Amino acid sequence: MSDKKPSNLYFEPLDPEPDDSSATQSFPPAASSGNPGSAGMSPNVANTSGPGTPGDLSPLEAEALGLQGEPSSALASLAQVADDDDDAPVTRRGRGLSQSAATDDSVDPRMPRDRSDDLLISRPRISSVVLCVVFGLTLLAIAAVVYLVGVGTVGGQEYDNLAVDGFADALPGWLAALCSPLAASVTLGPTSIPVMAFADIVFGVVALIVAIARKRWLVIGQLVTLAIVAFAAAELLKKLLPRQVYDVSMIKTEGNTAPSGHMTMVVVAALALLCVVPRVWRALVAVVAAVYASLSGMALLVGAWHRPCDVIMAVALASGLAFLALAVTRSSGMDEPGTRASSASIQIVGTVMIAGGIMALAYGLYVVWQLAPGLQYSAKWASSAAHGSAGILICGSVMLTFGLMLAMRHITAAPLSKIGLVGAPPAPPRKR
């Protein structure tokens, strides 16, 4: 500090106020200033128009004085720049509206707004529909091949006859105990009805109840149409397709019995229940339905109702028609938006059934190929191998078709973001 005494201060008079032109030239325009708060001018400087007009005051001063004036041109330009920076998010939400008010309730705001994502709410992916059609047509073609080989050749007829003759005695005790009740029939007046027909009714009624409870009205129409078309196709083909009887066989039967009408309805009833149950039940129902269909197919051989080719052709025919019906799935047959998710049980069970069915069919066909020389002469040494391979082929065809149906049913009911069963589904719409 200085030891000098304070002296009297001399105040110079203030400079006179500059005129409008000097004031305009003294301060740079607001657009060149990087500080929006300063707006490029000092709060102590006023225009010559007088302090009472709102246009001469800064926004803070105008607010303090209770004046509602328009901001200066510099502030207006800065406000316009700030507003332009916010245009992008405001445009996405809808200008002048809040996000919740501008968002459509039927589409999740996290999802891109395009037609393909909106359509996933009402129908499966195009790839899933195409895959259902491909599987359906392939199975119908397999049914035709089974008929041409199993009924239209000497070896096919000989194999069928060897497999049916003594099939019940060749089964293990526990398996025969499971198949025998299904092979029995109940006599109602002049009509003899097999027990498996009552089991089909139970499957169908349960499927109808579940579909009504879940309000799957389009699915009910699909399944009723499937049952009518499949049964009519089986009965018409059985009457229209020829069967030439070859003299080599020791077992001669007149008339065609392929495809099996009994097995057709078994497959339709079992697949109907699989298609209507919720996601958490699909894997379990697929296993139960496949076991029931396999036992029913072997029961038809135990009771000598049908031959192996009749049963396998019926499985391919009914499953092929079921895949074609699945291709027209729409929103009423799909899982509700918000509940669509991947399922570990479906992935595991579906993979095991598909892989197991392929391996069983491959092994059964290999055994038949090994039996080919003996089939040409109706050799009795081939009987035991024919019995075993017939059961394996029936179980393999059921496992493969039911495993494919389990997978495709889940893909069509809950469209996934990746091909196959692996991957999370698209984000469902959220109700606001």
Side-chain angles (χ1 to χ4, degrees):
M1 296 180 64
S2 176
D3 295 337
K4 294 181 180 182
K5 294 182 180 180
S7 60
N8 294 331
L9 298 176
Y10 173 75
F11 294 93
E12 295 183 358
L14 295 173
D15 293 336
E17 286 186 352
D19 55 8
D20 291 341
S21 60
S22 62
T24 304
Q25 297 174 358
S26 301
F27 300 98
S32 64
S33 174
N35 185 2
S38 64
M41 61 187 301
S42 172
N44 296 328
V45 179
N47 288 341
T48 56
S49 60
T53 60
D56 299 330
L57 302 176
S58 67
L60 295 177
E61 292 172 338
E63 182 178 359
L65 296 175
L67 300 176
Q68 297 181 356
E70 294 293 329
S72 63
S73 59
L75 290 176
S77 62
L78 285 174
Q80 181 64 31
V81 172
D83 184 66
D84 292 341
D85 291 338
D86 293 335
D87 275 348
V90 171
T91 302
R92 286 192 296 266
R93 296 191 301 265
R95 183 180 297 276
L97 295 175
S98 64
Q99 184 173 0
S100 60
T103 302
D104 186 4
D105 288 339
S106 63
V107 180
D108 193 333
R110 298 172 296 176
M111 296 175 61
R113 289 298 303 273
D114 56 52
R115 181 171 176 80
S116 61
D117 288 322
D118 291 345
L119 289 178
L120 286 180
I121 301 174
S122 59
R123 62 152 178 79
R125 293 182 180 273
I126 297 297
S127 59
S128 302
V129 175
V130 172
L131 205 55
C132 288
V133 174
V134 170
F135 285 152
L137 296 179
T138 301
L139 287 170
L140 293 180
I142 291 175
V145 171
V146 170
Y147 167 78
L148 293 175
V149 175
V151 179
T153 63
V154 176
Q157 289 194 12
E158 290 300 319
Y159 174 78
D160 273 351
N161 293 332
L162 286 175
V164 171
D165 187 21
F167 184 82
D169 299 331
L171 288 179
W174 63 272
L175 189 56
L178 294 175
C179 294
S180 296
L182 294 173
S185 59
V186 177
T187 302
L188 297 177
T191 306
S192 179
I193 302 176
V195 173
M196 67 179 63
F198 295 99
D200 296 342
I201 295 175
V202 172
F203 272 83
V205 170
V206 173
L208 182 61
I209 294 174
V210 173
I212 293 176
R214 302 186 67 202
K215 299 180 180 180
R216 305 304 198 200
W217 311 120
L218 180 59
V219 176
I220 294 175
Q222 287 176 270
L223 296 179
V224 171
T225 304
L226 171 63
I228 294 174
V229 172
F231 182 76
E235 292 301 317
L236 288 175
L237 289 175
K238 189 184 303 183
K239 295 179 180 179
L240 296 177
L241 294 177
R243 181 185 179 89
Q244 181 180 355
V245 179
Y246 296 100
D247 295 332
V248 178
S249 175
M250 298 297 296
I251 305 175
K252 299 180 181 181
T253 54
E254 299 293 338
N256 179 46
T257 57
S260 168
H262 296 91
M263 193 62 187
T264 300
M265 298 313 298
V266 167
V267 174
V268 169
L271 291 181
L273 184 59
L274 174 60
C275 289
V276 300
V277 295
R279 182 186 71 252
V280 295
W281 292 98
R282 285 179 190 139
L284 178 60
V285 170
V287 174
V288 174
V291 171
Y292 166 67
S294 299
L295 292 176
S296 298
M298 289 185 289
L300 291 174
L301 271 64
V302 170
W305 292 72
H306 283 282
R307 306 176 182 89
C309 288
D310 301 348
V311 175
I312 297 172
M313 181 180 177
V315 172
L317 174 66
S319 300
L321 294 176
F323 275 108
L324 295 180
L326 194 64
V328 296
T329 299
R330 287 299 180 265
S331 56
S332 67
M334 301 168 66
D335 294 343
E336 292 292 337
T339 64
R340 301 175 183 178
S342 301
S343 173
S345 62
I346 293 177
Q347 294 180 28
I348 295 172
V349 174
T351 302
V352 170
M353 292 181 69
I354 293 173
I358 293 175
M359 290 188 293
L361 289 174
Y363 178 73
L365 292 176
Y366 172 75
V367 173
V368 174
W369 178 66
Q370 293 290 327
L371 296 177
L375 295 178
Q376 298 295 330
Y377 305 100
S378 187
K380 290 299 181 180
W381 60 264
S383 296
S384 60
H387 297 152
S389 61
I392 292 173
L393 289 173
I394 291 174
C395 294
S397 61
V398 170
M399 287 180 62
L400 177 60
T401 54
F402 277 61
L404 289 174
M405 179 59 68
L406 172 63
M408 296 309 303
R409 178 56 189 151
H410 184 69
I411 291 177
T412 54
L416 303 182
S417 59
K418 297 180 180 179
I419 190 67
L421 292 175
V422 180
R430 295 183 298 181
K431 298 295 183 180
R432 294 184 179 276

